[in-house]
Amino acid sequence: RPPVVTIMGHVDHGKTRLLDAIRVTDVVKGEAGGITQHIGAYQVHHPVEGGVRELTFIDTPGHEAFTAMRARGAKVTDIAVLVVAADDGVKPQTIEALNHAQAADVPIVVAVNKVDKPGADPAKVRGQLTEYGLVAEEYGGTTMFVDVSAKAGTGLEELLDAILLTTDAALELLEDASVNAQGVAIEARLDKGRGAVATVLVQRGTLRTGDIVVAGSEWGRVRALIGDTGAQIKEAPPSLPVEVLGFNGTPEAGDRVAVVESEARAREITDYRERQKRDRLAARGAGSGAGRSLAEMMRELKEGAGRKEFPLVVKGDVQGSVEAIVGSLEKVGNDEVRARVLQSGVGAITESDVTLAQASGAVVVGFNVRAHKEAREAAERAGVEIRYYNIIYNLMDDVKDAMSGLLAPTLRETMLGNAQILEIFNVSKVGKIAGCRVTDGTIERGANVRLIRDGVVVHEGKLSQLKRFKDDAKEVVAGQECGMSFESYQDMRAGDVIECYRVEEIKRTL
Ligand code: GDP
């Protein structure tokens, strides 16, 4: 089947214009003079030796939509074209796009755009991307770089060639016409005249009018199929984008589409999915969703679920610390498991980071940065764990613990204060009470304590009572006197120092 291509890259590097330019040059439609419509994807025909081949382009450029789709469990894109403007070079979003494509394991072709511009330096782009593991074929690597100008329309044929070559080398896209059609809804909307309209990319089988289809929690009988030229077609083979009319409700982009044998079966499936959706919503507080927590990952590791990689998205306040973290993360691990940093960068945690984490089951780590409100909400919805650190050591420790499957509820001690025992009282029925003065900080009821005598810890335990005069006290601050007794310990003495601390589990999320 034809490859499905997504165009990605930095803003203003010409993604949209390139999509337009490729579409305009399409041999078949160009000849037919067909009017094109935007339905979320289009297909072009490219003459090759021995015939014509098709390529399908997703009409919404950028990695956000790509990863959002992936987060919903849909793998639509077969190959990514990374657009880099030759006059501007590699930019932050270029790298972000690259990370997203690599996290999805899709092969990449680089289109070096705007080569018509006076300041264009295509060689520099090749050099810059080498640093990120994309080495041009002409430099001995395996990535195809093609110089194009979306404006002048040059290099487009070569780009299509490169996409096909890369696809053929990396993927086996077999067309399987014998099965019931399956695919993905890439766009959907409610049309005033036509009802629910979903653009579907068939991935296996052939979709025909009259078929009963299920998409997410919607279903319908295909009333009509409309291609990207606006013409009605009878059947849609794999990778041909078509608008499907006849759904009872509007599916969501990313919903998987499948043909089923009967209306009864369609109802059964959609009812089940409805229920699942409700259950998921209900369980959200419990941290369900596609993203996983460190504890969950650890459990999977323990259960030997065969997880080899420990995916992370790392954001930090300055380049130096991000590099240090990524460098250290890359070093941890053994034969069975290793950390994989899907994306790293400077700045706040964004929605795009969260979507990537969700799509790849990763944890997001913020070092001296926080998540945007939208990102926080998205993480909550998707059940993606965001962890904040300000000490690299703690971060590394947690990751290492989780990786070795040893992440006990991570306990951390916070010192509350110290007190000195002035005198011991014997109280009938209660036992021994230590009369103390708080020397610094505070002593809190129920807190953990250590009894230190001559610099040696002689007892560790909990406070059973804390009193100010005759009354129970919640806390006693520095300078005040109080009475204390200990759970199952009586042998305290005047002069002992009482160290009071709290043991907490580390915050798992914000
Ligand atoms: P996008 O944000 O990546 O989708 O970028 P656009 O496709 O909107 O292009 C950004 C700007 O660059 C627009 O003004 C385009 O006309 C211009 N542009 C795109 N491709 C080329 C090109 O090949 N050559 C020149 N000179 N300008 C281009």
Side-chain angles (χ1 to χ4, degrees):
R1 64 175 175 81
V4 178
V5 190
T6 293
I7 295 198
M8 305 181 184
H10 195 71
V11 65
D12 277 345
H13 279 196
K15 298 181 292 295
T16 312
R17 187 131 190 199
L18 185 61
L19 273 168
D20 291 344
I22 291 169
R23 186 168 200 180
V24 168
T25 56
D26 184 27
V27 281
V28 171
K29 280 170 210 151
E31 280 164 16
I35 303 157
T36 56
Q37 330 201 100
H38 172 89
I39 65 167
Y42 64 78
Q43 197 168 71
V44 295
H45 309 73
H46 182 56
V48 290
E49 248 187 51
V52 171
R53 285 180 68 180
E54 285 86 33
L55 299 96
T56 302
F57 285 86
I58 301 287
D59 215 354
T60 316
H63 55 271
E64 290 87 357
F66 165 83
T67 298
M69 198 85 87
R70 219 160 65 72
R72 305 215 50 225
K75 185 177 191 303
V76 175
T77 301
D78 300 308
I79 180 163
V81 170
L82 184 63
V83 176
V84 188
D87 61 334
D88 203 20
V90 170
K91 290 280 161 203
Q93 280 173 37
T94 312
I95 300 310
E96 200 172 298
L98 178 59
N99 291 336
H100 281 240
Q102 284 174 338
D105 267 334
V106 297
I108 296 163
V109 168
V110 181
V112 182
N113 190 30
K114 305 197 187 183
V115 293
D116 60 287
K117 283 190 127 180
D121 189 351
K124 187 170 158 202
V125 174
R126 283 166 173 75
Q128 287 177 322
L129 282 175
T130 310
E131 274 181 50
Y132 298 93
L134 288 188
V135 183
E137 280 195 320
E138 56 264 48
Y139 295 174
T142 54
T143 307
M144 299 193 72
F145 281 65
V146 184
D147 292 341
V148 300
S149 165
K151 188 181 177 192
T154 57
L156 303 181
E157 300 294 316
E158 291 81 355
L159 179 61
L160 298 184
D161 280 337
I163 295 171
L164 287 173
L165 276 170
T166 303
T167 316
D168 293 347
L171 308 164
E172 232 179 318
L173 301 177
L174 297 176
E175 185 161 328
D176 184 356
S178 63
V179 295
N180 275 348
Q182 294 168 11
V184 178
I186 55 168
E187 267 193 20
R189 68 203 147 84
L190 199 59
D191 185 291
K192 266 198 196 119
R194 303 186 294 170
V197 181
T199 298
V200 172
L201 266 181
V202 173
Q203 294 173 312
R204 299 176 69 202
T206 303
L207 183 64
R208 301 186 174 84
T209 48
D211 280 347
I212 296 163
V213 279
V214 174
S217 45
E218 304 296 341
W219 70 278
R221 185 183 287 273
V222 179
R223 201 167 68 231
L225 296 170
I226 297 162
D228 60 359
T229 56
Q232 283 222 18
I233 50 180
K234 282 218 173 60
E235 49 178 51
S239 299
L240 180 70
V242 281
E243 283 188 325
V244 175
L245 273 52
F247 276 106
N248 297 336
T250 315
E252 287 175 48
D255 275 346
R256 263 169 285 190
V257 179
V259 168
V260 295
E261 64 271 26
S262 66
E263 288 195 14
R265 182 84 184 117
R267 282 217 181 80
E268 205 180 310
I269 295 172
T270 49
D271 284 353
Y272 173 72
R273 288 192 178 155
E274 250 329 300
R275 269 202 311 279
Q276 267 195 326
K277 217 194 232 172
R278 276 199 304 271
D279 291 352
R280 260 205 309 279
L281 282 176
R284 220 150 244 175
S288 68
R292 294 169 312 145
S293 66
L294 275 182
E296 278 168 331
M297 278 199 214
M298 183 268 298
R299 196 164 51 238
E300 279 173 30
L301 286 174
K302 256 193 187 151
E303 286 164 1
R307 163 151 226 99
K308 295 276 187 255
E309 280 175 338
F310 193 86
L312 292 155
V313 173
V314 179
K315 294 301 277 286
D317 54 342
V318 291
Q319 191 61 34
S321 45
V322 173
E323 275 169 15
I325 291 165
V326 173
S328 321
L329 282 172
E330 275 164 2
K331 281 195 215 104
V332 296
N334 55 21
D335 295 347
E336 286 152 55
V337 61
R338 66 182 183 94
R340 182 178 177 200
V341 179
L342 300 174
Q343 167 142 294
S344 63
V346 173
I349 294 164
T350 63
E351 234 183 312
S352 155
D353 296 323
V354 171
T355 326
L356 178 63
Q358 187 191 356
S360 308
V363 168
V364 183
V365 170
F367 185 78
N368 282 334
V369 294
R370 291 291 175 266
H372 284 314
K373 185 164 169 288
E374 299 75 33
R376 241 175 15 237
E377 289 166 357
E380 225 157 84
R381 277 196 305 276
V384 168
E385 183 175 25
I386 302 181
R387 290 189 153 220
Y388 299 126
Y389 293 91
N390 48 19
I391 299 170
I392 294 187
Y393 176 79
N394 286 345
L395 187 166
M396 293 306 302
D397 250 18
D398 281 0
V399 170
K400 270 187 220 161
D401 279 355
M403 281 178 58
S404 31
L406 292 175
L407 185 70
T410 315
L411 304 176
R412 203 153 286 176
E413 234 177 67
T414 316
M415 277 309 289
L416 295 173
N418 288 295
Q420 179 132 41
I421 300 183
L422 305 174
E423 210 175 326
I424 305 292
F425 303 97
N426 260 311
V427 181
S428 53
K429 280 187 228 157
V430 179
K432 280 187 179 171
I433 303 250
C436 316
R437 172 179 289 117
V438 179
T439 50
D440 61 77
T442 54
I443 305 294
E444 289 180 10
R445 191 166 66 200
N448 298 57
V449 284
R450 280 189 198 97
L451 205 64
I452 300 164
R453 189 171 303 152
D454 302 325
V456 176
V457 177
V458 293
H459 171 69
E460 253 180 5
K462 285 209 173 245
L463 276 186
S464 60
Q465 284 197 59
L466 180 63
K467 287 195 184 282
R468 279 279 288 156
F469 306 106
K470 288 261 175 298
D471 304 322
D472 281 331
K474 263 180 87 173
E475 57 168 50
V476 181
V477 299
Q480 295 182 331
E481 294 188 357
C482 59
M484 290 186 222
S485 62
F486 303 91
E487 277 179 6
S488 54
Y489 187 78
Q490 298 271 322
D491 185 29
M492 53 274 207
R493 296 183 198 162
D496 289 351
V497 170
I498 294 165
E499 193 179 276
C500 179
Y501 61 98
R502 194 168 37 216
V503 177
E504 295 168 303
E505 287 198 18
I506 312 176
K507 277 194 292 232
R508 307 208 82 95
T509 50
L510 5 155

